[in-house]
Amino acid sequence: MSETISEEEQWKIINETGILHKIKRNQKKKPPIKKEKYSDDDSESNPAEDLEDFKDEIMPLWAEVVLISTPLALLHAVFEYVVYIQYGFKNEYSIFRLFRRSLPIFCLLAALTWGTNKVKSLWLLSFIQVIASSLSGVYLIRLTLEGDKTFGTMLKTPGLAVLWIYLIIQMKLTPAALGIVAPLLYYLKDYMGLNSLQTSN
């Protein structure tokens, strides 16, 4: 028959061999597990501010200014060149005139883009942009369809067209849609009977 060892004798053997002390020493030598520390600011971060920071990282303001101003300035040059072609003044449109007209347009668009991005969150800016886009769009259609069709009058249309396009792309979806409504209604007024209603009054 196998002899059973009492619990007191088991503890006596463990203490004599020192196994328990070796296990404790080994546990002390293990490096503590580092826990990631999260500050209170992370838990209370604003998602809108984080999104703005992310947007700033992927698209700096200077890059946005260049990307918007450069093609619109070139588009103005194309529109103006088309006017010169239509009125038979193609030979008078020189490289010097191209740079003389495009450079101020680029600087103006760059300044507008830089300034509007600084105050983009103001509702007053959106209101002004809607009014300006509506007026420029209506005036552009009026000159194109109802103007005297002279060369000097048509030279005003490239600037109005570029200004209208710039205002539309700078606004959010809802204000941009509102900026299209007035020019569209003005263009369709003959089909909607508004023109005859105005003449009768």
Side-chain angles (χ1 to χ4, degrees):
M1 296 181 65
S2 60
E3 296 181 357
T4 58
I5 302 174
S6 63
E7 186 176 352
E8 294 181 358
E9 293 179 350
Q10 291 177 3
W11 278 109
K12 184 179 180 181
I13 294 172
I14 290 173
N15 290 329
E16 289 177 353
T17 56
I19 295 175
L20 188 61
H21 298 289
K22 291 180 181 179
I23 294 174
K24 289 182 179 181
R25 282 196 298 269
N26 292 333
Q27 288 180 347
K28 289 180 180 180
K29 291 179 182 179
K30 291 182 180 179
I33 300 174
K34 295 182 179 179
K35 296 182 179 180
E36 295 182 357
K37 295 181 180 180
Y38 297 95
S39 61
D40 296 335
D41 296 337
D42 294 336
S43 60
E44 298 177 359
S45 61
N46 190 345
E49 294 178 356
D50 294 342
L51 181 60
E52 288 297 326
D53 294 340
F54 179 71
K55 288 168 63 178
D56 290 340
E57 291 178 2
I58 62 175
M59 179 61 68
L61 182 55
W62 65 267
E64 183 177 347
V65 169
V66 172
L67 286 176
I68 291 178
S69 303
T70 302
L72 288 179
L74 292 175
L75 185 62
H76 178 273
V78 171
F79 286 161
E80 193 174 62
Y81 184 62
V82 170
V83 173
Y84 270 76
I85 292 175
Q86 290 177 339
Y87 283 84
F89 299 128
K90 177 181 178 181
N91 295 331
E92 297 183 11
Y93 196 86
S94 61
I95 295 295
F96 174 74
R97 179 176 177 82
L98 172 65
F99 284 102
R100 186 169 64 87
R101 294 283 292 169
S102 299
L103 185 58
I105 296 296
F106 174 83
C107 295
L108 178 61
L109 291 171
L112 285 174
T113 305
W114 187 278
T116 53
N117 272 274
K118 295 296 184 179
V119 292
K120 211 167 191 177
S121 58
L122 296 179
W123 66 268
L124 182 60
L125 176 64
S126 298
F127 178 76
I128 294 174
Q129 287 176 331
V130 170
I131 298 299
S133 61
S134 300
L135 293 176
S136 60
V138 169
Y139 191 43
L140 173 64
I141 295 173
R142 182 180 178 84
L143 287 180
T144 305
L145 301 180
E146 303 174 5
D148 54 9
K149 302 295 189 301
T150 61
F151 179 67
T153 301
M154 289 298 103
L155 279 180
K156 299 177 182 177
T157 57
L160 288 171
V162 169
L163 176 62
W164 185 67
I165 294 171
Y166 167 80
L167 291 171
I168 294 298
I169 64 177
Q170 280 292 91
M171 292 186 287
K172 294 182 180 179
L173 181 60
T174 301
L178 293 176
I180 298 174
V181 169
L184 182 62
L185 291 177
Y186 187 83
Y187 178 76
L188 298 175
K189 67 181 189 305
D190 293 333
Y191 302 99
M192 301 174 63
L194 297 178
N195 192 31
S196 60
L197 182 62
Q198 289 177 354
T199 54
S200 63
N201 293 335

